[in-house]
Amino acid sequence: MKTSKISLVAVLALSLTLGLAASSWARPGGGMGGGMGGGMGCGMMGAMNLTPEQAGKFFDLKEKFHNDTAAARKQMMVKHAELAALWKAEKPDQAAINAKQKEINALRDQMQEKRTTFQLEARKISPELAQGFGRGKRGGMGRGMGPGPMGPGGPGAGAPAPTAPAK
């Protein structure tokens, strides 16, 4: 009886640990709002010395951007799933794949235009906000759509680019 209680506790502890580990991998994006790459988390906001009024305006701007891009983000996810299905066909149709890729690129262009507008509006709130939007800096909207529901190794992730052999 005592052995079965210990076994039950061990199984529950293992299940809890695995469940928490899986949920941490499934978390999209990160930062405040998630979704688009890294996001700007609370720590980043605090480091900027924004006034309460500026922080409120920036929050509202981010919410507006998030809402304005919701449909395009949904379409992008659907188009990527459609593209993945085209690639999984026994004999992939190059014309269909190229057409679907053009649709994805058009959506990406729309998103980029909205992102640029968002960044310029954020700069009006505080020039300090624009510093987080550069490439390689943590806190901007990030690159691409983030890991998404398929995880970090989802469709399109592929293998890393080959490197030149050492001589």
Side-chain angles (χ1 to χ4, degrees):
M1 184 69 166
K2 190 171 185 171
T3 306
S4 65
K5 284 184 180 180
I6 291 172
S7 297
L8 179 62
V9 169
V11 168
L12 289 175
L14 181 62
S15 298
L16 179 64
T17 302
L18 291 175
L20 290 174
S23 69
S24 70
W25 277 96
R27 188 179 133 245
M32 199 163 77
M36 295 286 293
M40 192 168 290
C42 295
M44 183 70 163
M45 291 291 291
M48 290 194 179
N49 298 319
L50 297 177
T51 66
E53 180 184 350
Q54 288 173 318
K57 285 181 179 179
F58 184 64
F59 179 84
D60 291 342
L61 182 64
K62 280 189 68 171
E63 286 296 304
K64 181 181 182 317
F65 174 78
H66 191 276
N67 293 335
D68 288 350
T69 58
R73 285 183 284 117
K74 179 181 177 181
Q75 286 179 330
M76 186 90 91
M77 189 174 277
V78 169
K79 300 289 181 197
H80 275 284
E82 292 170 352
L83 180 62
L86 289 171
W87 274 106
K88 288 177 185 176
E90 188 173 317
K91 292 185 178 181
D93 179 357
Q94 183 174 355
I97 290 171
N98 288 343
K100 191 61 61 181
Q101 191 63 54
K102 285 180 183 179
E103 292 174 24
I104 291 170
N105 289 341
L107 284 169
R108 188 173 292 134
D109 290 345
Q110 290 174 18
M111 291 288 293
Q112 185 63 38
E113 288 175 15
K114 289 181 181 199
R115 178 178 175 225
T116 300
T117 301
F118 165 77
Q119 290 174 334
L120 292 171
E121 290 298 315
R123 179 178 273 193
K124 291 176 187 176
I125 294 169
S126 171
E128 194 174 4
L129 285 169
Q131 293 173 0
F133 295 135
R135 225 174 153 68
K137 297 191 192 265
R138 185 75 175 140
M141 293 310 289
R143 181 174 161 260
M145 295 297 288
M150 300 294 209
T163 56
K167 292 184 178 183

